[in-house]
Amino acid sequence: MDRYLRVGRLATFAYFTLNGFLMGMWIVHIPGIEHRAGVSHALLGWLLLLLGAGAFAGMQVTGPLTDRFGSRTVVPLSAALCSAALVLPGLAANAWTLGAALLVLGVGNGCLDVSMNAHAVQVEQGYRRPVISAFHAAFSLGGILASLVGARTLSWNWSPVTTLGAVALVGLAVTALAAPALLRPAARRPVDAAVPVVIAPRKTPRHIWALATLALMVMLSEGVANDWSALHLRNVLDAPAATAALAYGAFATTMTLGRLLADRVAARFGPVAILRHGASVAALGLTTAALSPWIPLALTGWAVFGAGLSGCIPQLFSAAGHSDQGAAGTNVSRVAGLGYLGMLAGPAVIGPLTHVLPLNLTLFLPVLCCVTAAATAGIVRPSRHAPALLEAEAV
């Protein structure tokens, strides 16, 4: 394998890990930042919508920019913005400044999310086999690293601004070191200067919106696990607080492990099998958790849910990126943007439903989403969206 391509792959791992680490450090310091800014839990919930709005806006802007200038240019700029913006919530002294800080941090996160995924697709095209799931595993590992580092700095009584400032500097250093290793944009067909060229805005194909809708469903399911898994064990099964926390831990662990293995499985059986069987397993796991009267079985259900979901989103991102090399950034931004909205919508939808249904029964909404993803998995078939990968599988 070409050394240039291997180094580009390592750089992509670095940026995915960095993104997970940066956002994990923000999450770890939410209580301290909330206290310093003097905002209530309810107000913080509204302010977090600005983080999501900023991310969505950043994704939509960065997709076309990545197609225009190349991910080699956009990824380092996005990583630098996300790293520098991390310190802003730590400096916030009231609700207004915290809201502005979260908006900027969200933009940085959205820009980095789309541009690094576009670069991941470019790396995958070079390898001519699935490699994208491992990058998403690196994001999860970055979050785990953040929880360990954050726990240590909090035990040393470091203030949020001190820790986040130090992490921002580390992020900028990683960005600078990894940037030269990113892949150059793929060569484009030369244009005859004598022929006038009219560049018309591309209309997003319907199958990209179909992929985006599935991403919304899958990430809605993931968002439910992030925010409601521990509450499910605590409120429905009366588990002790420490035991209830294991629900999310089981989900996150199997999701990370699944993403580390998903590329090999996708190379052997194809992305359709990953999405179809993965979403089916996820539906089975969450159904088990929702209906279980026993804590150990419920924990097992959450673990199976994470394992099933683990490979689904990478296949959707990969299919979008490979669909049209010239619009990979834009297509990934559509899928990532709707997916991110699903991540935010999941917890928000479950909350009101608990007023009319028991919490465990509301979990059948993400079960339905997983069943839908399994039934429509053919949308990621390589013969339709990734001829380069299909040819590689035939070699």
Side-chain angles (χ1 to χ4, degrees):
M1 184 60 65
D2 183 73
R3 181 179 180 276
Y4 168 68
L5 189 57
R6 290 199 302 269
V7 172
R9 186 183 184 187
L10 290 176
T12 312
F13 275 120
Y15 282 110
F16 271 82
T17 304
L18 176 63
N19 191 202
F21 183 62
L22 294 175
M23 299 314 296
M25 291 301 293
W26 145 248
I27 292 171
V28 167
H29 288 87
I30 286 178
I33 292 171
E34 180 186 51
H35 176 74
R36 187 180 192 278
V39 299
S40 64
H41 295 328
L43 181 54
L44 177 65
W46 287 105
L47 292 176
L48 287 175
L49 293 177
L50 292 173
L51 180 71
F56 183 80
M59 289 175 181
Q60 303 315 304
V61 170
T62 303
L65 289 178
T66 301
D67 293 332
R68 174 67 178 85
F69 298 104
S71 52
R72 181 182 173 91
T73 298
V74 179
V75 169
L77 293 176
S78 300
L81 173 60
C82 192
S83 297
L86 181 66
V87 73
L88 297 180
L91 295 170
N94 53 52
W96 292 102
T97 53
L98 180 58
L102 292 178
L103 183 64
V104 176
L105 179 60
V107 170
N109 180 48
C111 291
L112 181 54
D113 192 315
V114 165
S115 59
M116 70 185 185
N117 271 289
H119 188 267
V121 169
Q122 187 179 347
V123 171
E124 192 170 65
Q125 288 170 341
Y127 271 80
R128 300 177 69 82
R129 62 179 172 84
V131 298
I132 198 169
S133 291
F135 296 136
H136 286 254
F139 177 90
S140 300
L141 292 174
I144 294 172
L145 178 61
S147 67
L148 297 175
V149 173
R152 174 55 63 186
T153 57
L154 288 171
S155 72
W156 291 338
N157 293 319
W158 286 20
S159 67
V161 67
T162 299
T163 303
L164 297 181
V167 171
L169 293 176
V170 171
L172 292 172
V174 171
T175 297
L177 290 173
L182 293 173
L183 303 183
R184 291 182 292 274
R188 296 177 182 267
R189 182 173 59 86
V191 178
D192 188 347
V195 179
V197 177
V198 179
I199 301 177
R202 298 189 183 210
K203 182 179 180 180
T204 302
R206 284 182 295 179
H207 75 264
I208 294 297
W209 289 119
L211 290 169
T213 301
L214 287 183
L216 184 149
M217 293 182 180
V218 172
M219 293 185 73
L220 181 149
S221 303
E222 185 176 340
V224 168
N226 292 343
D227 291 84
W228 292 96
S229 55
L231 286 172
H232 165 247
L233 260 71
R234 183 72 172 143
N235 295 345
V236 176
L237 300 180
D238 293 322
T243 302
L246 295 176
Y248 176 70
F251 170 83
T253 299
T254 55
M255 172 166 277
T256 303
L257 293 175
R259 284 179 171 173
L260 288 172
L261 299 172
D263 287 327
R264 293 180 181 273
V265 179
R268 177 68 178 84
F269 299 102
V272 175
I274 290 283
L275 182 57
R276 177 168 294 146
H277 298 301
S280 299
V281 167
L284 177 62
L286 188 54
T287 298
T288 300
L291 298 181
S292 172
W294 304 295
I295 293 174
L297 183 58
L299 288 171
T300 301
W302 284 110
V304 172
F305 184 49
L309 281 184
S310 60
C312 295
I313 279 295
Q315 306 314 311
L316 295 170
F317 280 24
S318 179
H322 289 298
S323 178
D324 181 352
Q325 184 176 346
T330 300
N331 290 339
V332 169
S333 73
R334 300 293 187 260
V335 175
L338 273 190
Y340 197 84
L341 289 181
M343 179 79 77
L344 297 175
V349 170
I350 294 296
L353 283 179
T354 59
H355 293 297
V356 295
L357 292 171
L359 174 56
N360 61 323
L361 295 185
T362 65
L363 298 180
F364 281 94
L365 173 62
V367 167
L368 179 61
C369 290
C370 291
V371 171
T372 302
T376 58
I379 190 70
V380 299
R381 193 176 305 281
S383 59
R384 298 179 61 182
H385 307 303
L389 289 182
L390 182 67
E391 292 169 6
E393 290 180 3
V395 174

